Amino acid sequence: MANKFNSSDSRTRSSVSIFIVAGLCCFFYLLGAWQRSGFGKGDSIALEMTKSGAECNILPNLNFETHHGGQAGIIDDSDSKATEYKPCHPQYTDYTPCQDQKRAMTFPRENMIYRERHCPPEGEKLHCLIPAPEGYVTPFPWPKSRDYVPYANAPYKSLTVEKAIQNWIQYEGNVFRFPGGGTQFPQGADKYIDQLASVIPIANGTVRTALDTGCGVASWGAYLWKRNVIAMSFAPRDSHEAQVQFALERGVPAVIGVFGTVKLPYPSRAFDMAHCSRCLIPWGVNDGLYMKEVDRVLRPGGYWVLSGPPINWKTNYKAWQRPMEELQEEQRKIEEVAKLLCWEKKSEKGEIAVWQKKMDTDSCRASQENAGATFCSSKDIDDVWYKKMEQCITPYNKADSDEVSSGDLKPFPERLYAVPPRIASGSVSGVSVEAYLEDNKQWKKHVNAYRKINKIIDSGRYRNIMDMNAGLGGFAAALQSPKLWVMNVVPTIANKNTLGVIYERGLIGIYHDWCEAFSTYPRTYDLIHANGVFSLYKDKCNFEDILLEMDRILRPEGAVIFRDEVDVLVKVKKMIGGMKWDSKMMDHEDGPLVPEKILVAVKQYWVGNSTSAQ
């Protein structure tokens, strides 16, 4: 009898054990499914939104599966609907918030103060979507875009009349044509650059980064591209309407900027060459203040090119319709400041003069001290955001000059992945050579993942690309191609000032604070990369302002890649749901357990005062 009861008890315990095991299996299966579905704050919050996996193509007409967004249980997304942002009035089609013409006219004219950045106060910021003009189309792919811009994208004909004899721009049917001419090179930029190349080693990769001051429509930068030189061009938003806008429509790097009272938003010792072609900048005034600022951003061994007045004034003063004595004095002042800065004149032929900044800073310092020169005392010579230009020479100690002279930099493209001198010397706190190499490795992996997500990323569809938080430039380096360029932005609140490293890699970039509008026209970037931007600016300014600015500068049918913490991206995704963007969230390339996620988005095509996507 006892055996019978023991047998029955054993069978009961066995059944219970099986039931418990089966229950646990079901529980963990359901838990895993729940985590993978996006319900709740799990590491796999985005996985259900990416059923098509990493092979999803972000094509201009792609309709993302947005019905997966905003499900019950997703963080901060269940109790309120996304704010819908309405289109701005069509009068704001070309609105540049920090270079607004009406606001500019309320500031003093002296020293070009009124052409500097003057951003709207909080109460005057627009909270609407900047519309594209009627008839807007995707720009031509490079290199056709260098020569042709659709008229509808920038419908301003004034330059075709004002600069007709200088071969800047011509209106032909429904397009503008850019013959490659300029005020100082009506026969074409190519021939002009050939003249420069007879003095400056442009062909061998020694000169890679260039600064074009007062760039016009940036034909100089456009034609340098095929010689593997990348130019950062700038010009003010002034009476020459849309010159920077034309440059960007052509696919040439450019920003709205001016020589005024504030330092240029670039690091010291950044450029291999600086250029002024009849740029109308008064180089000799204020004891050469602007030349001293060029000296700050020019590398030891770098070149400065000045063409046009007052060079060769003896021959040209009548053609320029200016008094001989005035031009003579102007050139005398320029020569005097150049000598003080230790620039050696290499050539003066026709209307072109070329100086080279000496690399021997020890002998220069001695001669400068003997001449009574004043040296800047700032501890951080790259702290330039909204800082006033100083009437002093930016000093370099022996270690600095050895560290970043043009002679020590590798020629491009070897320079792209060589260890930058600033890294090798330990000048960037917290970034070792090993950390730099690991960063490159990581960004190659990230960009390969982007290529699987968006198979057209380096097909030529995206020419103008922006990295909003560029770090060491790894994203741009991994994407490097003659079909595209990247504007590497280093936020002014970034933990490390890395823009000097970016330039040493042969890339270009700029300082910027994303709490304010960027110095560009609307619709000037094809692809925007935002890595950690919103985590960086959390509690600094409104996400809405940053996203609306991204929308302003992004072309219709342009793409955005966000990479950030999942909590942050869920908030961002909700906000862009009201901005006429299609979006999709997906896991980190290393899998669902990584808390960092990727959010990809495409801006819908719409124009004028549309109230819905067209």
Side-chain angles (χ1 to χ4, degrees):
M1 194 70 175
N3 289 338
K4 185 177 179 180
F5 280 114
N6 288 341
S7 176
S8 175
D9 187 55
S10 176
R11 284 197 300 270
T12 301
R13 283 197 303 270
S14 179
S15 299
V16 170
S17 297
I18 292 170
F19 178 76
I20 290 172
V21 171
L24 286 171
C25 289
C26 290
F27 171 75
F28 284 114
Y29 175 82
L30 292 172
L31 178 63
W34 173 74
Q35 285 183 321
R36 293 172 67 83
S37 70
F39 290 86
K41 187 177 176 181
D43 284 325
S44 199
I45 194 168
L47 198 60
E48 183 61 20
M49 305 174 93
T50 57
K51 287 182 177 179
S52 58
E55 293 303 315
C56 151
N57 289 339
I58 307 179
L59 297 170
N61 60 353
L62 180 65
N63 180 19
F64 285 111
E65 300 168 28
T66 50
H67 58 273
H68 286 296
Q71 301 176 41
I74 287 186
I75 311 162
D76 292 335
D77 217 28
S78 58
D79 54 356
S80 63
K81 193 177 180 182
T83 300
E84 183 180 351
Y85 297 94
K86 300 293 185 183
C88 303
H89 189 278
Q91 75 184 47
Y92 292 106
T93 291
D94 290 324
Y95 182 55
T96 52
C98 296
Q99 287 92 6
D100 178 63
Q101 296 286 58
K102 289 182 180 178
R103 187 177 299 107
M105 300 312 292
T106 66
F107 288 87
R109 298 281 187 110
E110 60 264 24
N111 297 320
M112 297 294 282
I113 291 172
Y114 75 122
R115 294 298 183 197
E116 295 180 333
R117 287 175 57 86
H118 302 291
C119 300
E122 194 64 37
E124 294 180 21
K125 289 182 178 179
L126 298 181
H127 297 282
C128 51
L129 306 176
I130 301 296
E134 293 286 344
Y136 180 89
V137 295
T138 301
F140 298 114
W142 184 269
K144 185 176 180 180
S145 65
R146 185 193 69 182
D147 302 327
Y148 296 95
V149 166
Y151 170 75
N153 291 12
Y156 303 106
K157 294 183 181 178
S158 59
L159 283 178
T160 64
V161 177
E162 186 178 343
K163 301 293 184 181
I165 62 171
Q166 295 168 7
N167 229 12
W168 274 31
I169 178 174
Q170 298 170 358
Y171 177 62
E172 299 177 354
N174 62 348
V175 298
F176 288 111
R177 186 170 74 86
F178 296 82
T183 307
Q184 282 302 123
F185 39 93
Q187 301 305 311
D190 257 339
K191 290 184 178 179
Y192 176 78
I193 293 170
D194 285 340
Q195 288 179 277
L196 300 183
S198 67
V199 181
I200 301 170
I202 289 175
N204 65 7
T206 301
V207 172
R208 163 63 179 175
T209 55
L211 179 67
D212 193 10
T213 57
C215 64
V217 294
S219 286
W220 187 70
Y223 280 83
L224 275 173
W225 183 264
K226 66 183 179 182
R227 303 181 193 231
N228 227 5
V229 176
I230 185 167
M232 169 69 80
S233 302
F234 73 81
R237 179 162 188 172
D238 58 13
S239 58
H240 293 167
E241 185 65 57
Q243 53 187 334
V244 167
Q245 188 175 20
F246 279 130
L248 287 156
E249 285 293 318
R250 297 175 73 185
V252 183
V255 293
I256 302 171
V258 68
F259 265 109
T261 64
V262 176
K263 292 181 179 181
L264 300 178
Y266 313 114
S268 61
R269 313 185 300 275
F271 296 97
D272 300 311
M273 174 168 56
H275 173 256
C276 162
S277 172
R278 204 163 187 173
C279 60
L280 304 181
I281 295 170
W283 295 111
V285 303
N286 296 328
D287 295 322
L289 180 65
Y290 297 150
M291 291 177 69
K292 289 171 183 173
E293 179 64 1
V294 170
D295 182 71
R296 182 185 69 80
V297 300
L298 194 64
R299 285 202 185 98
Y303 297 86
W304 186 54
V305 179
L306 176 61
S307 65
I311 304 303
N312 201 7
W313 56 269
K314 290 179 182 177
T315 304
N316 296 304
Y317 73 95
K318 289 183 179 178
W320 293 335
Q321 298 180 343
R322 289 180 58 186
M324 183 189 305
E325 296 76 19
E326 179 183 291
L327 289 163
Q328 182 179 12
E329 178 61 13
E330 189 177 322
Q331 180 153 357
R332 186 195 66 77
K333 287 181 178 179
I334 289 172
E335 301 276 9
E336 189 177 81
V337 176
K339 184 178 180 181
L340 182 67
L341 294 172
C342 241
W343 294 0
E344 181 184 356
K345 195 170 194 179
K346 306 297 286 188
S347 171
E348 180 174 332
K349 188 176 181 181
E351 295 179 23
I352 303 173
V354 179
W355 285 264
Q356 183 178 23
K357 181 176 177 177
K358 288 184 180 179
M359 285 193 269
D360 184 359
T361 54
D362 281 349
S363 63
C364 284
R365 181 70 180 247
S367 64
Q368 288 167 340
E369 288 175 348
N370 291 335
T374 302
F375 292 92
C376 304
S377 58
S378 173
K379 291 182 179 179
D380 184 359
I381 57 177
D382 291 339
D383 180 17
V384 298
W385 186 246
Y386 284 125
K387 296 294 192 299
K388 294 292 184 182
M389 286 187 196
E390 299 177 88
Q391 191 54 266
C392 54
I393 299 173
T394 303
Y396 306 111
N397 59 38
K398 186 71 168 67
D400 286 337
S401 61
D402 285 348
E403 169 198 320
V404 289
S405 70
S406 295
D408 289 340
L409 284 171
K410 303 290 184 184
F412 195 84
E414 186 182 351
R415 188 185 298 186
L416 187 63
Y417 278 106
V419 177
R422 277 176 167 92
I423 299 291
S425 67
S427 298
V428 182
S429 177
V431 182
S432 63
V433 171
E434 293 73 23
Y436 168 76
L437 297 174
E438 179 60 26
D439 185 77
N440 285 334
K441 182 180 174 182
Q442 285 298 315
W443 277 110
K444 285 179 180 179
K445 184 173 75 171
H446 292 336
V447 169
N448 282 337
Y450 295 160
R451 287 187 173 109
K452 292 177 181 177
I453 295 169
N454 181 350
K455 291 184 177 178
I456 61 172
I457 196 168
D458 45 15
S459 67
R461 166 66 178 83
Y462 305 119
R463 169 67 180 173
N464 302 359
I465 298 177
M466 173 179 283
D467 191 356
M468 294 176 68
N469 185 19
L472 298 170
F475 168 76
L479 265 184
Q480 176 63 29
S481 164
K483 296 177 182 177
L484 57 85
W485 58 269
V486 178
M487 180 66 76
N488 292 281
V489 180
V490 172
T492 55
I493 64 168
N495 295 327
K496 295 179 176 64
N497 186 344
T498 54
L499 193 52
V501 170
I502 287 168
Y503 273 94
E504 287 178 357
R505 301 186 72 168
L507 304 169
I508 59 166
I510 194 169
Y511 293 115
H512 184 65
D513 180 358
W514 286 112
C515 291
E516 300 179 358
F518 193 72
S519 294
T520 191
Y521 284 81
R523 304 171 302 281
T524 45
Y525 287 88
D526 304 296
L527 174 68
I528 299 175
H529 180 241
N531 172 46
V533 171
F534 291 87
S535 288
L536 181 65
Y537 278 92
K538 190 188 293 185
D539 304 323
K540 300 291 192 305
C541 49
N542 295 327
F543 282 12
E544 176 189 74
D545 291 339
I546 300 175
L547 287 167
L548 287 173
E549 175 61 5
M550 292 172 71
D551 181 81
R552 184 184 75 89
I553 67 179
L554 184 65
R555 297 192 195 281
E557 300 180 323
V560 180
I561 302 173
F562 300 88
R563 178 181 288 267
D564 219 315
E565 296 297 312
V566 61
D567 297 31
V568 171
L569 287 187
V570 168
K571 293 176 183 177
V572 168
K573 188 179 193 313
K574 176 184 171 183
M575 295 177 77
I576 64 177
M579 288 173 52
K580 302 183 190 296
W581 289 16
D582 297 318
S583 66
K584 176 174 284 191
M585 191 128 62
M586 54 192 64
D587 282 315
H588 189 281
E589 58 266 18
D590 287 343
L593 297 182
V594 181
E596 182 180 271
K597 305 296 177 187
I598 299 169
L599 175 65
V600 291
V602 173
K603 180 177 175 178
Q604 298 171 8
Y605 179 89
W606 61 278
V607 298
N609 55 5
S610 308
T611 55
S612 61
Q614 296 183 359

